[in-house]
Amino acid sequence: MSAEKDLYTVLGASPSDSVQQLRHRYQQLALQYHPDRLGGSSEADSGVKKFLEADAAWRVLSDQNTRREYDLQRRAQELKQDWPVDSTVCLEDMTWDKDECGYAYGCRCGGGFSVSEEEVEEETQRRQQEEEEQDAEGGVMVCCDTCSLSVCVTWSLHRKTHMRTRTPLTLTSP
């Protein structure tokens, strides 16, 4: 997974595209830049490079698990950027979206902020390993899906129940 180039951009696709749409873009690029098609032309070297990039992108994005991992890495990289925080939102104030398996909160622009259950659990585990404070809090920066506003979503690291189900939250230690 290249940190330099976005795999969706390599395929000329969007993160919201389906696997079928990604496959179609990959097939178009493979036909256009395949080394057997280019032969010995002067464009062969750059074409081979584009073919290899498209092939590598397709290998990651075609598999549901590696695509999910890549998307999480993209999201984490986006969140590492320095944006001003417009407000702080408690996870308890967000709404559970069972279709997306995550929490959602409306933005004043009409868009929304969302954080996946997986992100919450990963950040909770990471912070618990770093800190042993009783009242420690977890948190992630989340950008609006429509405008440039961002919020810091926080929650208690030592909460006894999971807010979505109100059942004990079990986190495994490494």
Side-chain angles (χ1 to χ4, degrees), residues 23-138:
R23 178 183 298 119
H24 179 72
R25 290 296 304 142
Y26 167 70
Q27 289 171 340
Q28 287 178 322
L29 293 170
L31 285 173
Q32 184 177 356
Y33 295 111
H34 195 279
D36 291 343
R37 264 189 170 237
L38 297 174
S41 71
S42 60
E43 299 173 353
D45 288 341
S46 66
V48 168
K49 182 180 177 187
K50 288 179 182 179
F51 173 78
L52 293 173
E53 287 175 351
D55 188 59
W58 172 244
R59 287 177 192 227
V60 171
L61 299 177
S62 64
D63 179 74
Q64 182 181 10
N65 293 327
T66 57
R67 181 177 181 179
R68 183 180 306 120
E69 181 65 31
Y70 176 74
D71 288 344
L72 286 172
Q73 289 177 1
R74 280 182 80 236
R75 172 86 179 219
Q77 187 61 38
E78 288 173 1
L79 295 176
K80 286 181 184 176
Q81 297 179 16
D82 291 329
W83 282 301
V85 176
D86 297 295
S87 65
T88 300
V89 176
C90 293
L91 191 65
E92 292 85 1
D93 295 333
M94 297 180 81
T95 305
W96 173 253
D97 183 343
K98 67 179 180 179
D99 296 330
E100 296 292 323
C101 292
Y103 299 91
Y105 188 80
C107 180
R108 64 181 181 218
C109 74
F113 303 97
S114 62
V115 62
S116 72
E117 182 177 32
E118 192 171 295
E119 287 176 293
V120 172
E121 291 179 4
E122 285 178 3
E123 181 64 12
T124 298
Q125 287 178 346
R126 187 183 73 74
R127 293 270 178 108
Q128 283 177 337
Q129 290 173 359
E130 291 176 1
E131 303 172 9
E132 291 299 324
E133 299 174 29
Q134 189 67 0
D135 297 324
E137 284 192 343

